[in-house]
């Protein structure tokens, strides 16, 4: 069943861009992702994107190792998201889509600084918005940034693009009896302790009554197929 949402915040993991040999960026994957997003925009969807930086650095993991403090490590992670966002913006432009990177961390010689009103203007003009730099603050994940920006920019839903085709009752990789949910409420997800997003992000989605679509971006699925309802996904909605 196709989703009725038109303005979507797509949350991608940085790992989605990695090459098979472990290099942080895989040009073919980037090009395929850009083509997928181009199809979605041609299908009438308005797209904003938040991409993580885990293919380059993970601030929480670095700080846990004990040799660098968490705020500094998170700042490094924010810079990693800017690198990924610029790569994705370039790929989208090459795919024929007008894209604009905006960073919560101000770096005006590299990209536009995020502000809500200009961001809304870009979306209203039909541009794909690539939102970099997380929230601009340490201790907040890119999941939280995605939900925050979705709420700010009047997005109808967040699409959390993952490695699996929805939310399951248990890990489907280790439990063949795991059941995939087609639809579940925020309250049910919390009650069943389903790890859809980190706690702060999911609490904000629940408070904002913001639907979260969970699906897989790897073939045979795609962002466009999830949004058009031709690929399996889970809808988490009030």
């Amino acid at each position: 069943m196709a989703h009725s949402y038109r303005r979507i915040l797509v949350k991608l993991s940085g790992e989605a861009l990695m090459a098979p040999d472990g290099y942080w960026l895989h040009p073919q994957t980037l090009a395929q992702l850009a083509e997928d997003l181009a199809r979605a925009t041609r299908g009438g969807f308005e797209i904003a994107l938040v991409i993580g930086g885990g293919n380059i650095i993970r601030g929480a993991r670095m700080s846990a190792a004990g040799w660098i403090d968490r705020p500094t490590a998170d700042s490094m992670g924010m810079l990693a998201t800017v690198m990924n966002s610029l790569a994705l913006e370039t790929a989208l432009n090459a795919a024929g889509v007008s894209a604009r990177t905006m960073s919560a961390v101000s770096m005006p010689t590299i990209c536009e600084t995020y502000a809500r009103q200009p961001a809304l203007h870009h979306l209203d003009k039909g541009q794909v918005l690539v939102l970099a730099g997380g929230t601009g603050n340490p201790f907040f994940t890119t999941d939280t940034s995605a939900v925050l920006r979705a709420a700010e920019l009047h997005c109808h839903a967040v699409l959390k693009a993952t490695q699996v085709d929805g939310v399951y009752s248990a890990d489907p990789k280790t439990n063949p009896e795991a059941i995939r949910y087609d639809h579940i409420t925020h309250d049910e997800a919390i009650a069943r302790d389903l790890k859809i997003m980190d706690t702060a992000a999911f609490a904000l989605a629940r408070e904002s009554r913001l639907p979260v679509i969970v699906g897989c971006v790897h073939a045979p699925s795609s962002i466009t197929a999830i949004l058009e309802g031709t690929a399996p996904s889970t809808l988490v909605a009030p």
Side-chain angles (χ1 to χ4, degrees):
M1 179 179 172
H3 295 291
S4 58
Y5 313 116
R6 305 314 291 172
R7 179 170 290 185
I8 308 291
L9 188 300
V10 179
K11 166 59 173 63
L12 294 162
S13 70
E15 287 90 342
L17 303 184
M18 287 185 74
D21 63 3
Y23 186 66
W24 72 279
L25 192 62
H26 190 227
Q28 291 86 345
T29 298
L30 195 62
Q32 289 167 3
L33 182 59
E35 288 291 345
D36 183 12
L37 291 162
R39 284 194 300 274
T41 59
R42 289 194 294 269
F45 294 99
E46 299 174 2
I47 303 288
L49 292 153
V50 168
I51 185 161
N55 54 326
I56 303 172
I57 190 172
R58 282 198 172 278
R61 190 176 299 164
M62 282 186 62
S63 66
W67 62 277
I68 192 166
D69 65 13
R70 179 68 184 270
T72 302
D74 281 356
S75 294
M76 295 167 70
M78 290 177 217
L79 295 176
T81 71
V82 176
M83 294 169 68
N84 283 338
S85 296
L86 292 171
L88 190 53
E89 177 194 38
T90 301
L92 285 163
N93 288 329
V97 175
S98 177
R100 181 72 64 98
T101 296
M102 300 184 83
S103 172
V105 180
S106 182
M107 44 185 76
T109 60
I110 293 175
C111 60
E112 191 174 345
T113 302
Y114 174 79
R116 180 172 173 268
Q117 292 297 343
L120 284 167
H121 180 64
H122 294 321
L123 280 174
D124 289 339
K125 288 198 306 182
Q127 291 184 301
V128 171
L129 201 54
V130 188
L131 299 163
T135 66
N137 305 100
F139 299 103
F140 291 96
T141 66
T142 47
D143 273 357
T144 303
S145 174
V147 176
L148 173 64
R149 297 293 180 240
E152 285 185 315
L153 299 174
H154 307 308
C155 292
H156 302 132
V158 173
L159 169 53
K160 167 115 181 187
T162 68
Q163 307 292 320
V164 292
D165 60 356
V167 178
Y168 283 78
S169 58
D171 186 349
K173 294 177 181 176
T174 58
N175 186 350
E177 304 298 317
I179 300 166
R180 185 178 65 79
Y181 302 109
D182 288 325
H183 181 275
I184 193 169
T185 67
H186 295 86
D187 289 340
E188 288 170 335
I190 291 168
R192 297 176 192 178
D193 196 27
L194 302 174
K195 308 295 187 199
I196 295 166
M197 290 178 157
D198 72 74
T199 305
F202 199 69
L204 181 56
R206 181 195 191 192
E207 181 183 332
S208 305
R209 299 184 64 80
L210 189 67
V212 179
I213 306 164
V214 182
C216 180
V217 286
H218 302 297
S221 189
S222 69
I223 290 166
T224 305
I226 292 166
L227 294 177
E228 291 180 344
T230 59
S233 64
T234 297
L235 175 63
V236 185

